[in-house]
Amino acid sequence: MDKILILGGTAQQIKLIEAAKRKGYYTIVTDYLSDSLAKRMADKSYMYDINDIDGIVNMCKDENVQGVICGYIDPCQRPYQKICARLNLPCYGTQEQFYLMTDKHAFKKMCNDNGVNTIKEYKEDDSDIEYPVFVKPVDSRGSRGQSVCYNEKELEAACVYAKSESSNGDIIIEKFMKDAQEFQVTYFFMDGKPYLIRTTDSYCGSEEKHLEKVVACAVSPSKYTNLYLEKAHNKVINMFKNMGYKNGPIFMQGFVYQDDFYFFDPGLRFPGVDYERIIQKVYGVDLMDAMIDIAMHNEISIEIPETCYSLEGKKAAVLFPTVSKGTIETLEGIDCYCDEIVSAIPRCEVKDTLEWTYNVNQRLAEMDVLANNLDDLKKTLQEVQNNIKVLNEKGENMIYEYFDVNRIDG
C-alpha cells in the first residue's frame, strides 16, 4: 500500500486523511503533539516536530513514503517544501514561492511590484508615525505576537513582544485599519489557471475585550465580491501568475477601505478552517482529492466551477466562540450536526485549562454553517451560540464574548 505523510495534526488536516484513505493510501501524521484529532484518525503517527527536517526525511525513507502534503498551518509551509525537495517528491510550491507567501516583507514588495495595494508601513525609528498602529512578527501565525498601539510607549513594548514571536526577530509596523472591513480571498490553481473559490468578510472580536486581533466570524461570499472582481482580481491573479504558481491553494487577507483592497497577510495554503467541506456540499467538489493527487502524482483531475465563490446564492459562515480563563467542567452543544451545520471542530475538551492569551487560543471551537440566505444564516448562528454551554468548576459561564449576528450585512 502506498504511503502518504500529512504534516501537522490539526483537525483541518482530517479532510486530507479522509481523501487519502478513500484513494487507498496508508496515512501517517507527524507533529509535536502527543495527541491530536488527525493523529487519532491516521493509520500511524510520529512525534517529529515539523521543523525536524532531518528526522522526518529519514522517517519517510524508512517508511517508504511516496507523498507528503500539508494544505494548512503557516509553520508547515517552508518545512513541507524542504522535505519534498530532499525526498524528490512532488510539492505544490517552490522554495521561492513559499518564501514570498510566508515572509510578510517579501510579500508586500511583491504586491507593490505588481500594483496590488498593501497597508501603509512604518519603521521603528520613524518620526512621523501616525497612531494607532498594528505591530506583528514578520512570519508568525494565529495572531501571536500582535498588538495595537496608541502611543510611543505602547509601541516600544509591542516591538519587543513581536520580536519574541518572530523566527528571525523581524517585525512589521502598519497603520491600524480600525474602521475598515477585514476581507479574505482564496484561489485554487490548476495547471496555471486560477479559480476564485472563496471571498470572505471577517468580523473580529471587540477591542474592549482585547479580541480585536481574533476573527470571531467569517462570512462568505463577501458582500464586496463584485467590487473585488472589478478592482483587484485581475491584478492579484497576474501577480500569482508572475510568481509562476501552477497548482494548489493560495490565499490573502486584507481590508476593504474607501472602495479598494489593501492586503497584509498571505499563505500558500488554504485558510486554517473547514470551509472546503462547504464547497464540497454545495458543488460536490472535493479539493482534498486534488491535494492528494498533487502529493502522489503531481497532477489534478477535479473540475471546479468558474463561479465557485458564489455558493450558488447561499451564505456560509465560520463561527469561532471564545472562552475565558478557567478549567472546563461542562461542555455541550459543539457536536451538534444538522443540515445547516456542515462541520463542528472543538478546540477544547472537558478538563482543559485555558489562560488569557487574547489570540486564537481563546477559541472554543470552529463551527461551519451553510444557509439558504442571509437571514437564515443569522438565525442559525444565533441558535448555535444559544446551544453552546461551557461552565467552569464553579458552574460559571465561560463564554467570553458572544458574536453579534446583526453585525453581518449585505
Side-chain angles (χ1 to χ4, degrees):
M1 182 182 291
D2 289 342
K3 297 179 180 180
I4 184 169
L5 172 67
I6 292 91
L7 289 174
T10 62
Q12 289 76 23
Q13 307 277 68
I14 287 175
K15 298 187 295 294
L16 289 168
I17 298 172
E18 291 172 346
K21 287 192 171 186
R22 284 197 304 271
K23 292 176 174 291
Y25 299 132
Y26 185 91
T27 56
I28 303 172
V29 171
T30 188
D31 62 17
Y32 68 94
L33 300 171
S34 60
D35 183 41
S36 62
L37 291 173
K39 279 185 171 179
R40 296 176 201 171
M41 184 177 177
D43 296 300
K44 194 172 186 178
S45 65
Y46 283 92
M47 284 293 293
Y48 291 103
D49 184 285
I50 54 175
N51 292 303
D52 184 1
I53 308 297
D54 290 339
I56 293 174
V57 167
N58 290 333
M59 178 269 289
C60 287
K61 291 178 179 178
D62 291 340
E63 288 280 2
N64 193 25
V65 167
Q66 284 85 37
V68 178
I69 196 66
C70 179
Y72 303 86
I73 318 172
D74 270 326
C76 282
Q77 293 183 84
R78 292 197 210 181
Y80 157 64
Q81 187 276 325
K82 292 178 181 178
I83 292 165
C84 290
R86 290 270 298 274
L87 294 169
N88 196 28
L89 293 175
C91 180
Y92 65 77
T94 65
Q95 181 177 6
E96 175 68 9
Q97 289 165 355
F98 276 107
Y99 170 68
L100 291 171
M101 295 299 290
T102 54
D103 185 286
K104 294 181 178 65
H105 276 144
F107 168 72
K108 292 188 77 169
K109 183 181 185 304
M110 179 175 68
C111 285
N112 295 332
D113 289 345
N114 285 273
V116 176
N117 296 330
T118 59
I119 301 169
K120 184 177 181 179
E121 185 174 346
Y122 299 98
K123 297 180 180 179
E124 284 186 70
D125 57 357
D126 282 348
S127 59
D128 61 343
I129 295 177
E130 297 180 14
Y131 294 94
V133 293
F134 192 67
V135 184
K136 59 189 176 184
V138 75
D139 60 354
S140 186
R141 73 224 186 262
S143 68
R144 294 171 177 84
Q146 301 180 357
S147 305
V148 178
C149 309
Y150 287 87
N151 54 56
E152 185 176 352
K153 183 178 180 181
E154 291 180 353
L155 176 60
E156 290 177 358
C159 290
V160 173
Y161 176 42
K163 289 176 182 178
S164 71
E165 291 286 346
S166 173
S167 67
N168 60 5
D170 198 2
I171 65 172
I172 289 180
I173 305 170
E174 292 176 330
K175 175 182 178 180
F176 179 45
M177 307 290 282
K178 182 175 182 179
D179 298 320
Q181 171 68 59
E182 189 167 334
F183 174 84
Q184 191 179 101
V185 61
T186 308
Y187 291 88
F188 196 86
F189 272 66
M190 294 200 304
D191 296 324
K193 180 178 179 179
Y195 292 85
L196 179 60
I197 61 173
R198 185 187 183 204
T199 61
T200 304
D201 295 325
S202 298
Y203 299 87
C204 291
S206 68
E207 196 170 350
E208 293 74 19
K209 292 197 172 183
H210 310 292
L211 293 177
E212 69 276 4
K213 307 183 297 292
V214 183
V215 173
C217 187
V219 179
S220 300
S222 164
K223 59 180 174 286
Y224 297 103
T225 298
N226 289 336
L227 182 66
Y228 173 79
L229 291 171
E230 174 190 345
K231 287 290 189 70
H233 169 71
N234 287 333
K235 293 178 182 178
V236 168
I237 61 174
N238 285 336
M239 177 175 72
F240 293 152
K241 287 180 177 179
N242 290 338
M243 193 177 73
Y245 198 49
K246 297 297 182 182
N247 291 304
I250 192 167
F251 89 103
M252 300 193 303
Q253 297 181 81
F255 290 98
V256 185
Y257 181 69
Q258 296 182 347
D259 287 339
D260 214 337
F261 297 83
Y262 297 80
F263 293 98
F264 64 88
D265 196 25
L268 205 63
R269 59 178 178 86
F270 292 105
V273 294
D274 227 17
Y275 183 85
E276 293 76 40
R277 293 194 189 276
I278 290 176
I279 291 176
Q280 184 176 14
K281 184 168 183 177
V282 175
Y283 294 105
V285 174
D286 191 345
L287 293 166
M288 300 302 102
D289 277 354
M291 297 295 285
I292 300 302
D293 285 343
I294 290 173
M296 301 301 289
H297 308 294
N298 201 25
E299 61 181 29
I300 302 178
S301 59
I302 65 169
E303 294 184 7
I304 300 177
E306 293 284 351
T307 57
C308 183
Y309 58 85
S310 72
L311 294 181
E312 299 301 307
K314 297 180 183 293
K315 296 291 284 188
V318 183
L319 178 71
F320 302 100
T322 54
V323 286
S324 58
K325 176 181 178 179
T327 299
I328 298 174
E329 290 294 331
T330 301
L331 176 56
E332 300 174 1
I334 298 298
D335 57 351
C336 58
Y337 285 90
C338 59
D339 288 342
E340 291 80 17
I341 300 177
V342 177
S343 174
I345 300 176
R347 292 177 60 96
C348 303
E349 299 178 347
V350 172
K351 300 301 181 182
D352 280 355
T353 298
L354 290 92
E355 302 294 334
W356 289 120
T357 61
Y358 304 108
N359 58 32
V360 295
N361 289 324
Q362 222 69 56
R363 288 173 174 171
L364 172 71
E366 172 193 330
M367 312 289 288
D368 295 83
V369 176
L370 178 67
N372 290 322
N373 53 56
L374 188 60
D375 289 339
D376 286 350
L377 182 71
K378 291 181 180 180
K379 180 181 177 181
T380 301
L381 289 173
Q382 190 59 58
E383 290 176 350
V384 167
Q385 294 186 100
N386 292 342
N387 288 332
I388 294 175
K389 183 179 181 181
V390 192
L391 304 178
N392 63 17
E393 64 274 15
K394 298 179 181 179
E396 299 168 332
N397 182 20
M398 287 184 64
I399 294 293
Y400 184 48
E401 184 170 62
Y402 290 93
F403 176 69
D404 181 3
V405 300
N406 292 318
R407 293 175 62 189
I408 305 172
D409 60 358

